[in-house]
Amino acid sequence: MKKKMLLITLLAGSVVPLVKAQVGVNTPNPGSTLTVNGSFAAPYKIVTTSGTVGSGDYYIAYNGSADGTLTLPAAITGTGNFAGRTYHFKNTGSAKLTIASDGTELIDNQSGVGISAIEVPAGYYAYLVSKGTVTGTTWELVLIASSNNLPSAESTYPFSAVATSQRQTCDATPNPSAPWIRTAINYPQGTVLNKGNVLNTSTGAFTAPNDGYYMIQGSTQFDNGDVPGNPDFTWTVLYLIKNYTPGNGGNILVQSYQQPYATRVFGSSISCMTYLIKGETVSMASVAGVTGVGGKYQVVTSTMFGYKIAN
């Protein structure tokens, strides 16, 4: 009996330093707090509808055919705080997946004060980790990437207007010293491509679907061939304007001033790269002076196109 008690005592005494020291699985010499010499497995789950991410989840594949939202668990204060917990998400379906934080919590995407949700397009993967905080940015977006080499169209929102064959009549500016009359160019014949319906063809305005850097390009033909009297252009300006409003409102991003010599047909193009906040707009607009009386000019074969290039 004494031998048994001695053995138990020795074993019990040997457990304490092992718990406090490094632990090795399939290795006698762990080099870290936990060293696993072999494979590692964690839960893999497939979902097809919206839901809440659980404490027992690790890797979730969203295979839905309709847009869905997976909500991260709420942060916990004190006992039960799960700082360092990681989640992996892959959109294996054909629709858009949104990863949302709980309540007023935010996700740190390194681009500002934080966001309430991230979009994971089809074919994309997202990796998040809990920061351990309970207010503000409680989750950190470590990585969002595509399994393809090129980004999906859903994440870059490409758009392109059909080059107009219908002429748009505009008011000319009497002379360069007078208040310039800017006219937003529109695209009544629709679009070739318009992911997310970001281009309003009636107003000619592109609206940024989310924050990021965008490349915008456009062109038109100043053409007075059908204007009564066939006036010549004395000068023209083509703009890209952020948050355009009638009456010369908005911020000029870039402009191209031309002074053609005695011509009634003149082509012009313009482009820029700019950072936009979600909801801001970009429009292509024109100004022109003409000879004679009447004060009108026309533009035709107008188009504008662009896409998002970075967050």
Side-chain angles (χ1 to χ4, degrees):
M1 184 66 176
K2 291 181 178 180
K3 291 182 178 179
K4 291 182 179 179
M5 291 296 294
L6 178 61
L7 177 60
I8 292 171
T9 302
L10 289 172
L11 289 173
S14 66
V15 169
V16 176
L18 286 176
V19 171
K20 291 183 178 179
Q22 295 161 326
V23 176
V25 177
N26 202 29
T27 177
N29 300 306
S32 300
T33 303
L34 174 63
T35 300
V36 179
N37 183 24
S39 59
F40 168 78
Y44 176 94
K45 184 166 74 174
I46 298 175
V47 298
T48 57
T49 57
S50 300
T52 301
V53 180
S55 59
D57 290 325
Y58 179 74
Y59 189 105
I60 300 178
Y62 181 76
N63 199 37
S65 57
D67 293 351
T69 299
L70 296 177
T71 303
L72 296 164
I76 297 175
T77 302
T79 303
N81 184 283
F82 46 81
R85 180 187 292 177
T86 60
Y87 288 116
H88 303 259
F89 302 93
K90 177 69 181 293
N91 188 348
T92 59
S94 56
K96 180 179 68 178
L97 169 63
T98 298
I99 307 298
S101 53
D102 181 81
T104 59
E105 296 179 33
L106 299 172
I107 299 170
D108 183 358
N109 66 342
Q110 289 80 53
S111 66
V113 296
I115 54 178
S116 60
I118 60 170
E119 294 181 1
V120 185
Y124 271 63
Y125 159 86
Y127 172 35
L128 293 99
V129 60
S130 169
K131 299 175 69 173
T133 52
V134 295
T135 60
T137 53
T138 58
W139 293 91
E140 181 175 313
L141 176 62
V142 180
L143 176 68
I144 183 165
S146 172
S147 55
N148 302 314
N149 291 328
L150 296 175
S152 68
E154 284 73 16
S155 66
T156 57
Y157 302 96
F159 69 94
S160 178
V162 173
T164 59
S165 59
Q166 300 175 18
R167 295 170 178 268
Q168 181 177 347
T169 301
C170 312
D171 292 325
T173 298
N175 59 74
S177 299
W180 290 12
I181 304 172
R182 295 185 200 141
T183 303
I185 297 174
N186 54 47
Y187 314 98
Q189 290 167 267
T191 60
V192 178
L193 184 65
N194 195 13
K195 286 291 184 180
N197 294 317
V198 293
L199 180 65
N200 185 322
T201 55
S202 297
T203 64
F206 160 77
T207 301
N210 47 44
D211 299 358
Y213 292 90
Y214 293 84
M215 175 65 75
I216 311 291
Q217 302 178 66
S219 64
T220 193
Q221 179 172 293
F222 292 88
D223 190 335
N224 282 345
D226 284 355
V227 176
N230 301 132
D232 288 332
F233 288 99
T234 54
W235 56 282
T236 66
V237 184
L238 190 63
Y239 300 92
L240 288 176
I241 299 176
K242 182 169 72 173
N243 299 330
Y244 168 88
T245 57
N248 294 350
N251 300 314
I252 297 173
L253 296 173
V254 64
Q255 68 182 50
S256 176
Y257 178 90
Q258 303 288 340
Q259 198 166 13
Y261 178 74
T263 180
R264 65 176 62 100
V265 179
F266 183 80
S268 185
S269 61
I270 200 164
S271 65
C272 78
M273 181 177 69
T274 185
Y275 185 85
L276 299 174
I277 297 172
K278 180 179 179 180
E280 291 186 324
T281 65
V282 175
S283 303
M284 186 167 69
S286 63
V287 171
V290 298
T291 59
V293 296
K296 299 291 183 180
Y297 71 95
Q298 291 182 335
V299 292
V300 70
T301 64
S302 305
T303 185
M304 188 169 76
F305 54 96
Y307 53 94
K308 183 178 181 179
I309 57 175
N311 290 323

